[in-house]
């Protein structure tokens, strides 16, 4: 079996929160050697676990980038790195004299990844914000909710991970390919608002997709009776999303509605959706979720019970693929995507903060700060 895809790639990460560390974790999952420069702490971090999953597979060193000695250590590591990831507001790394120009003067091949909410320029660039704000301005929150209701609050994976981390990863990978071809690095400006807006191109490709206030009520993925969740008698929920007519037909058959003209003829009639949703709501409330699991098992009706991560771990499909892992560090999702010509990627250990600080400093003093020995 071949080595991990990013074996030999070296990433220096400046500790941040959310999408930046997630992107670095994903690169580590893919085989990159990631050293995270954790910042000195005077107490526990608020809202963040002491050993978060997003630090798995990384080596840790605590560095005070405002101190000359630690700054020299950072520069020494950066000199041998293929990529750097930071998530400060625009200008912060420049004030530390660690911006792209400073780093490229030392390491021209460096792919410098910048993870922000608003990007490196524009009127909002230096303004504070969070996932919900970026999605709002990007036009991505508009579709999250039905007509007559305010947009719901999606989990941060939509902006931080979907629009942020994954776009940073794709930008870093493109940068590595370019550096290998040209010998020159680049600066990746990954803004959550940009990525979240870019993701809307899929919705804009769907007939009735959300473009303005008038089209919001006609977007089938938002308002259709066949694209939503339904509560069951036991308080659990079932998801339904049978978009294609052939799958919708299977759904109606399993629900005993094949001969119901109202359902048969109005799959794409936005006027009928509220009425049909009410009827389905009443039907699903008559039985527990386990009943509906049995009704739709093995079919192409595109129906599935809504599971928690802990429950998802025990689902037969996830068990066979090893999608969820119970590790000594707790429940984790396995690395993704998979490469079928290689050994399965493994979830690496989560190191204590500064666990590798002494060894990294010693290796750097000996001439190679990236040495693992």
């Amino acid at each position: 079996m071949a080595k991990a895809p990013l074996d030999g790639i070296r990433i220096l990460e400046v500790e941040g929160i959310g999408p930046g560390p997630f992107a670095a974790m994903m690169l580590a999952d893919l085989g990159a050697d990631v050293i995270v420069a954790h910042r000195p702490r005077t107490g526990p971090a608020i809202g963040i676990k002491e050993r978060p999953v997003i630090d798995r597979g990384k080596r840790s060193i605590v560095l005070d980038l405002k101190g000359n000695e630690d700054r020299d250590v950072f520069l020494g590591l950066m000199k041998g790195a293929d990529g750097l990831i930071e998530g400060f507001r625009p200008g912060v790394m420049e004030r530390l004299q660690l911006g792209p120009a400073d780093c490229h003067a030392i390491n021209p091949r460096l792919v410098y990844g910048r993870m922000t909410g608003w990007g490196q320029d524009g009127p909002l660039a230096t303004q504070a914000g969070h996932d919900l704000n970026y999605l709002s301005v990007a036009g991505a929150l508009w579709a999250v909710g039905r007509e007559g209701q305010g947009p719901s609050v999606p989990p941060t994976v939509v902006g931080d991970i979907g629009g942020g981390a994954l776009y940073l990863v794709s930008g870093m990978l493109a940068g590595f390919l370019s550096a290998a071809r040209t010998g020159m690095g680049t600066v990746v400006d990954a803004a959550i608002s940009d990525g979240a807006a870019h993701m809307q191109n899929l919705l804009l490709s769907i007939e009735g997709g959300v473009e303005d206030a008038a089209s919001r009520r006609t977007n089938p993925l938002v308002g259709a009776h066949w694209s939503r969740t339904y509560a069951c008698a036991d308080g659990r929920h079932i998801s339904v999303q049978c978009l294609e007519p052939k799958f919708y037909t299977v759904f109606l058959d399993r629900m005993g509605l094949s001969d119901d003209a109202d359902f048969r003829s109005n799959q794409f009639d936005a006027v009928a959706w509220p009425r049909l949703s009410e009827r389905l709501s009443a039907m699903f409330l008559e039985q527990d979720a386990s009943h509906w699991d049995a009704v739709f098992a093995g079919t192409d009706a595109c129906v599935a019970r809504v599971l928690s991560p802990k429950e998802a771990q025990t689902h037969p499909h996830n068990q066979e693929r090893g999608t969820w892992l119970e590790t000594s560090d707790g429940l984790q999702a396995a690395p993704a995507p998979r490469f079928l010509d290689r050994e399965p990627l493994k979830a690496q250990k989560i190191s204590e903060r500064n666990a590798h600080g002494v060894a990294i400093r010693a290796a750097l003093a000996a001439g190679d700060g990236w040495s693992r020995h």
Side-chain angles (χ1 to χ4, degrees):
M1 286 284 188
K3 294 181 178 179
L6 295 186
D7 182 68
I9 295 292
R10 297 169 167 181
I11 308 292
L12 179 58
E13 174 197 351
V14 182
E15 180 185 12
I17 59 174
F22 186 96
M25 178 205 70
M26 188 168 179
L27 294 169
D29 283 346
L30 295 173
D33 182 7
V34 178
I35 292 179
V36 54
H38 281 117
R39 288 178 280 177
R41 270 193 203 159
T42 57
I46 299 176
I48 302 294
K49 292 181 178 180
E50 184 60 29
R51 296 171 66 224
V53 176
I54 53 177
D55 270 356
R56 76 180 181 196
K58 305 174 184 179
R59 292 190 284 164
S60 171
I61 182 172
V62 171
L63 295 175
D64 179 0
L65 298 183
K66 295 181 180 179
N68 290 334
E69 183 178 340
D70 281 2
R71 186 173 177 280
D72 288 342
V73 171
F74 184 87
L75 289 172
L77 292 171
M78 184 274 299
K79 185 176 181 180
D82 298 291
L84 182 149
I85 290 176
E86 62 91 6
F88 295 119
R89 293 196 206 186
V92 172
M93 290 294 280
E94 282 80 357
R95 289 194 291 274
L96 292 170
Q97 296 185 309
L98 295 172
D102 304 295
C103 292
H104 281 147
I106 299 172
N107 181 357
R109 293 174 56 89
L110 185 73
V111 178
Y112 196 111
R114 317 200 79 169
M115 183 73 260
T116 62
W118 303 114
Q120 294 300 308
D121 53 30
L124 298 176
T126 59
Q127 185 172 310
H130 282 298
D131 195 90
L132 207 60
N133 312 126
Y134 309 138
L135 293 176
S136 297
V137 173
L141 193 65
W142 178 261
V144 188
R146 295 181 174 83
E147 186 187 19
Q149 302 174 359
S152 59
V153 179
T156 56
V157 293
V158 177
D160 282 1
I161 307 304
L166 297 184
Y167 278 84
L168 176 58
V169 168
S170 63
M172 297 293 290
L173 296 177
F176 295 148
L177 290 173
S178 177
R181 185 177 67 252
T182 67
M184 298 300 295
T186 188
V187 181
V188 181
D189 177 6
I192 297 171
S193 53
D194 290 345
H198 187 263
M199 290 193 297
Q200 301 315 297
N201 287 326
L202 177 58
L203 287 180
L204 293 173
S205 300
I206 297 173
E207 190 69 36
V210 176
E211 296 180 37
D212 52 33
S215 65
R216 190 170 190 261
R217 65 176 176 272
T218 64
N219 181 0
L221 298 183
V222 175
H225 57 289
W226 47 261
S227 182
R228 53 170 293 175
T229 61
Y230 289 97
C232 303
D234 56 358
R236 302 304 302 270
H237 287 79
I238 291 287
S239 66
V240 177
Q241 196 165 57
C242 41
L243 166 63
E244 294 86 347
K246 62 180 180 180
F247 301 146
Y248 182 68
T249 298
V250 177
F251 172 74
L252 293 184
D253 176 64
R254 288 294 170 137
M255 292 295 292
L257 295 169
S258 294
D259 296 328
D260 190 305
D262 202 12
F263 278 98
R264 272 202 335 269
S265 59
N266 290 318
Q267 181 181 1
F268 296 104
D269 183 352
V271 175
W273 290 343
R275 178 178 71 252
L276 299 180
S277 294
E278 286 186 15
R279 290 184 60 187
L280 287 176
S281 293
M283 294 179 70
F284 277 106
L285 275 173
E286 292 175 357
Q287 302 287 345
D288 289 349
S290 59
H291 168 83
W292 299 114
D293 280 343
V295 167
F296 293 104
T299 75
D300 282 343
C302 303
V303 175
R305 191 201 296 220
V306 179
L307 303 176
S308 70
K310 191 67 176 177
E311 291 171 326
Q313 181 192 8
T314 65
H315 190 283
H317 180 81
N318 294 331
Q319 284 190 323
E320 183 170 323
R321 288 182 60 80
T323 303
W324 286 94
L325 309 172
E326 190 64 59
T327 72
S328 58
D329 293 313
L331 183 65
Q332 300 179 26
R338 301 167 191 234
F339 300 86
L340 300 185
D341 61 337
R342 292 170 167 82
E343 292 287 347
L345 300 171
K346 297 180 180 179
Q348 303 297 317
K349 296 286 293 181
I350 303 172
S351 301
E352 300 285 349
R353 292 172 63 88
N354 207 37
H356 306 91
V358 173
I360 291 172
R361 290 174 188 271
L364 189 62
D368 182 9
W370 289 89
S371 173
R372 290 181 176 271
H373 305 289

